[in-house]
Amino acid sequence: MPGKPVPSDIEIAQAAKLRPIVEVAASIGLSEDDLDLYGKHKAKIHLDVLDRLKNRPQGRYVDVTAITPTPLGEGKTTTTVGISQALGAHLNKKVVTVVRQPSMGPTFGIKGGAAGGGYSQIVPMEDFNLHLTGDIHAVTAANDLLAAAIDVRILHESSQDDEKLFNALCPADKKGARRMAPALLRRLRKLGIAATDPAALTPEEKRRLVRLDIDPASITWNRVIDISDRFLRGIKIGLGPEEKGLVRDTGFDISVASEIMAILALTTGLADMRERLGRIVIGTSRTGEPVTAEDIGVAGALTVLMKDAIMPNLMQTVENTPAVVHAGPFANIAHGNSSIIADQIALRLVGEDGYVITESGFGADCGMEKFMNIKCRASGLVPSCVVIVATVRALKMHGGGPKVVAGKPLAPEYTDENLDLLAKGLGNLTAHIGNALRFGVPVVVAVNRFTTDTDAEVEIIRKAALEAGAEDAVATTHWADGGAGAVALAEAVMAACAKPSRFRFLYPLEWDIKKKIETIATEIYGAAGVEYSPEAEAKVALYTRLGFDQLPICMAKTHLSLSHDPAIKGVPKGFTLPVRDIRASVGAGFLYPLCGDMRTMPGLPTRPGFYDVDLDLETGKVVGLF
């Protein structure tokens, strides 16, 4: 039974009675042969499970999103887990939770973990929030191998003539015959050179094959690390005596912002991942042609580093329902959703009468829009229902309440009943409901209820949600009560999933870049129009010339407002969305316009979370994590 008062997250997680992961796997039809075990309580799922189950009907597909959140977050993951526990442990339905793996950077910073909370979380929560099975480390290694390959290629091209470079890249065997690596054969095909025998190539063909002539000023590929280290945002490299003065400015991003992480989340299999990794564009040549990881010859090695990371991770909730944790793309720069492969496997495992509950990063204007237009487009999967998480606290903020600051006590306006303030903020909820309905999917609102919320406040939210077109709006107490506190919500989700989904995308890929951007800006954010900087205009022209204009759009903007300005709350109107630049994640398969100042490397606060984290040397348990 849940304890009162509710203990800390880590105390709940460590007190949970975990089932061996092979038993959790068996509950959804997986045998031990389908797994690679990582201890007793986590495992990787083999990809061939998809082939074995390819003819099984798929379950219902539910995306959990939220209104525009406060900096504290409104409980999406907790709600996702709560619904799953209600369905599986209380309503006896086949269900799998599918969520992203969090970065360790925010875990040791100010945000905390992402395993859910209270009596609705994924366990072991220490593993979930830290190394898990090493997927983020694999992304880090692959990303930084590519970064090293870029700079060393520039170095060697600058110091060797064409013949010496060719001889190095096509080494001779003991008999003097030169061999062509698979990467070079792929480059020959790209260049339209018919000959494959190194000896048959002309001097001009050799030059075109081996000389990429990368323009250092065009390089967009940063190094990454899974720690929030603001001092690595901007660095100089090439300062060593052996680098021949090839100094340039670059920087570090956090690992989950790497395009390789976005590829992991959007790939549909090993062969697809190999091709996507090869398509990564790191910059251009001095003549303006895109240079890819395949051109550099490193795509095969990247695939080897990622071959285990592509397998989803099986875990469980505190009520022993199965959870799949896989991929963790940034929800600002990338699309902020867990992997397609995890969803595909889970939907087959639960079968026609089962449910897969996943979630999208940040508010519905960010993660849900990208879930629909990017993830569902890449996967071919059709959502059955959207759950929008709302809190009294956040809606009061949108109504004009005092600033909410992480780590500081809430103002009395948030803890005392204030119906007028709440009513003024309801527009943010109705805007998000309207946005979800644009995609033709039924909507249920989950009011994540805190102990200070009153019945009158919850009722106002319920009425507003129904008037805006939601199928239902249900108060839920899953944080304090576990799955039992989300049974009514789960029943509402089941009822919504039984209704027909008339799913549609917001835009076709055939539209030009600007039309797609402007459709998202005006229809989802409520902007009056879009303003492009000269840099953004140049990128529109470049990407159109290179054929990237047919890619979907992954808007990079703040999650703290429907607009580009985090200070503007509620439902902004009449604003112009500024697009200061547009970048291409060609391997992942999207363009991302930058709206405002986007950080790809978080910084640590004055008092980081790591102050409280330690190891109990007597028990071996982690303490102070959350």
Side-chain angles (χ1 to χ4, degrees), residues 68 93 121 172 202 208 227 284 324 343 359 370 415 420:
T68 305
K93 300 295 180 181
Q121 55 176 308
T202 67
R208 292 177 63 206
I227 295 295
T284 63
V324 177
D343 288 354
E359 68 166 299
K370 296 171 184 180
T415 54
D420 290 339

Side-chain angles (χ1 to χ4, degrees), residues 44 59 61 97 107 120 182 261 322 357 403 481 578:
K44 280 193 165 292
Y61 193 29
T97 312
T107 294
S120 292
M261 180 61 85
I357 315 296
K403 188 175 182 180
D481 300 319

